[in-house]
Amino acid sequence: MIVYVLVVALLTLAGIVVWMEVRTFRLRSRVDKMNTLVQNLNSYAFLINDKFEVEETNYYALNPGAKKAQPNLLGNVLRCKVGCDHGACGSGMSCKNCPVRFVISKAFERRDNIHDLEVGMEIYDGDDTKCVEDLDLCIGGRYINKDGNPKMVLNVKNVSENKRLLRRYIDQNLKAEMDPSVPKLLFATQNVARFNELRELMLDRCRVVYAETSEQVLNRVGKDRDFGYSVVLLDASFAHSHQIVDDINQHIVVIKLMPVTEIKTEGRLVTLPDSVKFTELKNKLMSYFE
């Protein structure tokens, strides 16, 4: 009887050990996957308290050579120039005007989240205080209550390259708009899909510019404007805007897309059915760029 009890006890113990091993393996696997996810994000993640102390972060995983910040405050970990110069994040006079600290503090007070705060920040390149980078950062945060204590999970992303590319894109477009050698067509429409269709179709022939309001149209092709536009194409949503036509530069061809039943000759205007296919319209438009 005693042997039987011992066997049952041993089998039960073995079962518990196996169950715990399986559970531990699964838990370890989940932790490994979470660590892999956090450590390979293309942004920094921080768990901070309302004193701006960093409790957890993937910053050091993404920057293996970085030394642990002392004190362990958000600005010091991020290598904020102002915070590091004054010894601790929040200790300098300039820190009182820091938009990041202000927004995070207000979020803690209101127990609210932070939605994509974009700020410029001077950051030291690692431990080299002679090398300072001026970066554009996008900061988001979620307020949480952990064990009765207020916390914030922050996501800090460097968007400097995106901003640089956007500025370059805008500059290129402004140059193209002012370049007299590039034929330009202004398409006034509130249908973005139609605009994209015409832009793709005319890509090899001219630059198609979008306008969705009368103000945008007149800013580019008004009587006192000369940005090199050859044609203004007004879709059905602008078909009855007679005033806008009168205010367009007289040297520019104006084409109206109108319902078939309303098509008529209107002086300088070229009127076409609004059902016309852009593939059919292309040849007519190209004739104005010769």
Side-chain angles (χ1 to χ4, degrees):
M1 183 65 181
I2 296 176
V3 174
Y4 175 76
V5 172
L6 288 174
V7 170
V8 172
L10 287 173
L11 290 175
T12 303
L13 182 61
I16 293 173
V17 171
V18 170
W19 176 80
M20 290 182 66
E21 285 294 328
V22 171
R23 183 177 175 82
T24 302
F25 173 78
R26 290 178 177 175
L27 183 60
R28 188 183 298 114
S29 178
R30 290 178 61 186
V31 170
D32 289 343
K33 289 178 180 178
M34 185 59 67
N35 285 336
T36 300
L37 177 66
V38 173
Q39 293 174 8
N40 289 280
L41 289 172
N42 64 343
S43 59
Y44 298 133
F46 297 91
L47 175 65
I48 67 170
N49 58 28
D50 55 0
K51 296 179 181 178
F52 287 79
E53 295 170 335
V54 177
E55 298 185 359
E56 295 290 343
T57 182
N58 67 341
Y59 180 88
Y60 299 108
L62 297 179
N63 297 277
K67 296 180 180 178
K68 192 169 180 63
Q70 292 296 334
N72 190 32
L73 299 172
L74 179 63
N76 295 84
V77 176
L78 279 173
R79 304 295 294 152
C80 168
K81 180 180 184 299
V82 176
C84 291
D85 286 350
H86 288 88
C89 172
S91 62
M93 289 298 295
S94 300
C95 296
K96 295 180 180 179
N97 300 318
C98 174
V100 177
R101 291 186 61 87
F102 176 79
V103 170
I104 293 176
S105 297
K106 286 298 181 183
F108 270 116
E109 288 178 16
R110 298 169 181 171
R111 300 181 181 181
D112 200 1
N113 301 324
I114 300 171
H115 303 284
D116 295 336
L117 169 68
E118 290 194 3
V119 294
M121 185 180 290
E122 289 184 310
I123 302 287
Y124 281 127
D125 184 10
D127 297 313
D128 185 0
T129 56
K130 295 181 180 179
C131 184
V132 180
E133 297 180 283
D134 191 358
L135 302 181
D136 293 304
L137 303 179
C138 182
I139 302 174
R142 178 173 290 276
Y143 175 88
I144 60 175
N145 191 298
K146 186 178 180 182
D147 300 326
N149 298 311
K151 309 286 183 183
M152 186 80 66
V153 177
L154 293 178
N155 181 64
V156 181
K157 186 171 185 178
N158 182 358
V159 294
S160 303
E161 182 63 14
N162 293 344
K163 289 285 188 180
R164 187 188 68 79
L165 292 175
L166 179 60
R167 286 192 287 267
R168 180 180 176 187
Y169 172 79
I170 292 174
D171 289 344
Q172 288 177 339
N173 275 270
L174 287 175
K175 289 178 181 178
E177 188 155 338
M178 298 298 292
D179 186 354
S181 67
V182 180
K184 289 182 279 291
L185 179 153
L186 183 66
F187 186 16
T189 179
Q190 295 176 351
N191 188 326
V192 177
R194 293 202 81 193
F195 164 74
N196 288 330
E197 180 186 352
L198 183 62
R199 183 183 61 177
E200 292 297 322
L201 187 66
M202 302 295 293
L203 196 60
D204 61 338
R205 192 62 189 86
C206 73
R207 181 168 180 266
V208 181
V209 178
Y210 177 73
E212 63 177 350
T213 66
S214 299
E215 290 76 15
Q216 291 176 359
V217 172
L218 296 179
N219 280 340
R220 287 183 167 89
V221 295
K223 288 181 178 179
D224 59 342
R225 306 283 178 171
D226 186 11
F227 293 133
Y229 285 90
S230 302
V231 179
V232 174
L233 181 63
L234 305 174
D235 80 352
S237 60
F238 289 83
H240 300 287
S241 303
H242 299 291
Q243 184 60 43
I244 189 176
V245 174
D246 295 336
D247 291 335
I248 292 177
N249 191 311
Q250 294 295 314
H251 300 292
I252 299 174
V253 175
V254 182
I255 301 176
K256 269 190 178 184
L257 301 180
M258 303 180 67
V260 177
T261 55
E262 299 180 21
I263 289 181
K264 58 183 178 180
T265 303
E266 298 184 25
R268 62 183 287 221
L269 294 179
V270 178
T271 54
L272 297 170
D274 58 1
S275 59
V276 65
K277 294 182 179 179
F278 284 151
T279 50
E280 300 172 3
L281 181 61
K282 180 177 181 180
N283 289 335
K284 188 170 188 65
L285 290 175
M286 288 179 64
S287 67
Y288 296 112
F289 302 132
E290 299 299 333

